[in-house]
Amino acid sequence: MPERLPSESPAGLAGRRLLVLSPVLPRRTSGGEIILYRHLARLAEVETVVAVAAGQASPLGQTLDITAPPGLRTGIQQGLERLTRTRLAPWARAIRWMLPARVTVPCNLKRLREHIRHHRPDVILTVAHGDQAWLAMEMSAEFDVPLVSVFHDWFPAYLTVPAWARARLEAKFRRLYQQSRVAFVVSESLKQVLGPHPDAVVLYPIPGDSSIAPLATPSAPVRQKPLVLGYLGNLSGNYGGMMRQLWETVNGQSDLAVRMWGPPPDWPAAVLQTCREDGSYGGYVPLETLHTADVLLVVASFAPEDATLMRTNFPSKLVEYCRFGKPVMIWGPEYSSGVQWARQHKAACVVTEDAPEAVITAVRRLAQQPDEWQRLALAAQQAARTLFEPDRLQAQFVSGLMRAIRQ
């Protein structure tokens, strides 16, 4: 059963001042940016004062430009920046993470400090994904302002640094977690990896426009047409490689089709052109396009180098998919967070073999099981109405901010 909704009213944040000091900005794009934007945009309804400390404009609240002009960059900052363009880049990155952020991050510290002194924010909010997260930790301690951090994954896994620096970087990441008065973590597995915390909350990615209603009565597809396996999301890197293999395996089969939407794949031009011509790749589309698919696919990388990220992140497309009254299929390793979620809630079909043929077999088997088809579609709907319900997730977010302020 989902957790009970927090009892605090969002009106408790009315008139409060929130400083967003984060490497991830609240913007209407994708990934962590749009998730942060969706949460903060809702705070406008209760007239919370949001200031975004950024090097570029944000469509949300007041933008505090803390970009450091080239003339204000220190010798250390300029030297490390030059080294990151050489073969010594891993060492430069390691040194940059080890030193205090106020020394290495090129920003207008004077303007930032003046803003904090003059406006005295009630809380500093950051996303644990880079330079300004360390800076947020330092400014929180310097001015005794509560820090709230959002952890979307195990950020150190993205960084290429020498072995001697790995443990130190991970320790700094955990220190950010411990010094956050409230920590929002995206999955139970990430919470376990980060360790004990007095107020760590699992906060799933908040979905978009809730007016896109799932189908009222999910049912098996009409069998006179090919069964469409739909995927909306990243089509580059390992995800793109998996989807290309699946498309090539399905291509030419009369009973199945793969439809992919999202940013252009990093595939050879000839392959991409073929996908466009046969309708397999449709570019950017509204979410409503998912209604044209029969089964909605989530993928998680099987690559060993991605194992930590697959364990700790949570597929944001899953929260979007569940609203459409379709069976959801998750293709990924057993340890991935999406597969673990599906096992726990029995709300998605899972394929844990990396061969695309295993996906095809699973889809065909599901098509022959109308009761299981409908059960999975209803289970996804139920998740959309409970675990992934936007008002519920926003209530968790607001409640966490209010606890951080009151403590």
Side-chain angles (χ1 to χ4, degrees):
M1 292 293 292
E3 299 172 12
R4 186 174 58 185
L5 277 170
S7 58
E8 294 93 337
S9 167
L13 288 178
R16 295 291 191 174
R17 296 182 181 274
L18 175 64
L19 174 61
V20 181
L21 179 54
S22 170
V24 175
L25 299 179
R27 295 189 293 193
R28 299 187 192 94
T29 51
S30 61
E33 290 190 340
I34 196 167
I35 290 169
L36 187 59
Y37 176 85
R38 287 168 179 168
H39 279 299
L40 295 179
R42 283 169 164 247
L43 295 185
E45 300 170 7
V46 293
E47 299 182 349
T48 304
V49 180
V50 178
V52 181
Q56 50 190 303
S58 167
L60 187 69
Q62 170 196 353
T63 300
L64 174 67
D65 188 358
I66 59 170
T67 305
L72 288 183
R73 297 197 175 189
T74 67
I76 292 176
Q77 292 167 359
Q78 292 175 351
L80 289 174
E81 187 175 337
R82 284 195 295 269
L83 285 174
T84 57
R85 297 192 292 269
T86 71
R87 60 185 178 85
L88 297 176
W91 285 74
R93 282 192 291 268
I95 294 170
R96 180 172 178 171
W97 298 126
M98 296 305 106
L99 291 174
R102 61 183 179 275
V103 173
T104 60
V105 177
C107 77
N108 192 329
L109 275 176
K110 180 180 178 182
R111 179 175 295 174
L112 176 60
R113 285 181 164 127
E114 286 177 349
H115 175 88
I116 296 174
R117 287 193 190 98
H118 180 71
H119 295 282
R120 195 62 191 178
D122 294 288
V123 66
I124 294 175
L125 176 67
T126 194
V127 176
H129 216 83
D131 278 336
Q132 288 196 22
W134 314 135
L135 187 59
M137 179 170 62
E138 293 174 15
M139 293 297 102
S140 167
E142 180 176 336
F143 291 95
D144 194 26
V145 177
L147 176 66
V148 174
S149 301
V150 180
F151 292 80
H152 287 307
D153 49 34
W154 185 255
F155 170 65
Y158 288 102
L159 305 175
T160 302
V161 295
W164 61 266
R166 175 66 56 186
R168 296 182 185 182
L169 174 59
E170 293 180 350
K172 188 171 185 177
F173 190 64
R174 283 194 170 94
R175 187 162 69 251
L176 173 65
Y177 177 66
Q178 292 297 332
Q179 293 187 15
S180 300
R181 191 166 291 183
V182 175
F184 293 117
V185 294
V186 79
S187 67
E188 285 287 353
S189 55
L190 178 56
K191 185 177 179 180
Q192 292 171 6
V193 171
L194 284 166
H197 188 284
D199 198 348
V201 180
V202 175
L203 181 68
Y204 292 119
I206 187 170
D209 184 5
S210 59
S211 66
I212 302 174
L215 297 179
T217 53
S219 59
V222 178
R223 297 300 298 148
Q224 283 76 23
K225 65 182 183 66
L227 193 68
V228 176
L229 189 61
Y231 173 90
L232 190 154
N234 182 10
L235 286 163
S236 297
N238 288 329
Y239 291 167
M242 292 172 67
M243 291 307 301
R244 179 182 170 186
Q245 288 181 21
L246 181 60
W247 169 75
E248 290 174 340
T249 307
V250 169
N251 196 26
Q253 303 197 34
S254 60
D255 63 328
L256 294 176
V258 174
R259 296 288 180 266
M260 300 168 284
W261 304 284
D266 58 351
W267 301 343
V271 174
L272 182 55
Q273 181 63 25
T274 301
C275 285
R276 290 183 186 276
E277 290 174 352
D278 70 8
S280 298
Y281 171 66
Y284 289 97
V285 293
L287 277 174
E288 293 90 331
T289 307
L290 292 175
H291 280 304
T292 64
D294 297 307
V295 178
L296 300 176
L297 181 66
V298 176
V299 300
S301 172
F302 287 87
E305 64 270 21
D306 292 336
T308 299
L309 290 174
M310 296 303 102
R311 283 190 177 95
T312 56
N313 67 9
F314 191 85
S316 58
K317 63 174 58 62
L318 180 57
V319 305
E320 306 285 4
Y321 283 178
C322 284
R323 290 182 287 159
F324 286 85
K326 311 278 186 177
V328 175
M329 181 169 289
I330 303 178
W331 179 26
E334 186 66 39
Y335 54 75
S336 62
S337 62
V339 168
Q340 290 298 303
W341 177 88
R343 298 282 196 210
Q344 178 184 355
H345 297 282
K346 298 180 174 60
C349 177
V350 299
V351 178
T352 56
E353 300 173 51
D354 60 359
E357 291 82 2
V359 177
I360 295 171
T361 299
V363 173
R364 285 175 172 156
R365 183 188 306 121
L366 184 60
Q368 299 302 317
Q369 300 173 314
D371 290 345
E372 178 65 1
W373 183 287
Q374 187 167 32
R375 187 196 69 77
L376 288 172
L378 289 170
Q381 268 191 351
Q382 180 65 11
R385 292 167 177 161
T386 55
L387 291 172
F388 304 148
E389 204 282 316
D391 289 342
R392 174 183 181 274
L393 296 174
Q394 181 67 6
Q396 285 185 295
F397 181 72
V398 168
S399 179
L401 292 177
M402 291 175 66
R403 288 197 307 276
I405 293 170
R406 290 170 178 166
Q407 290 178 13

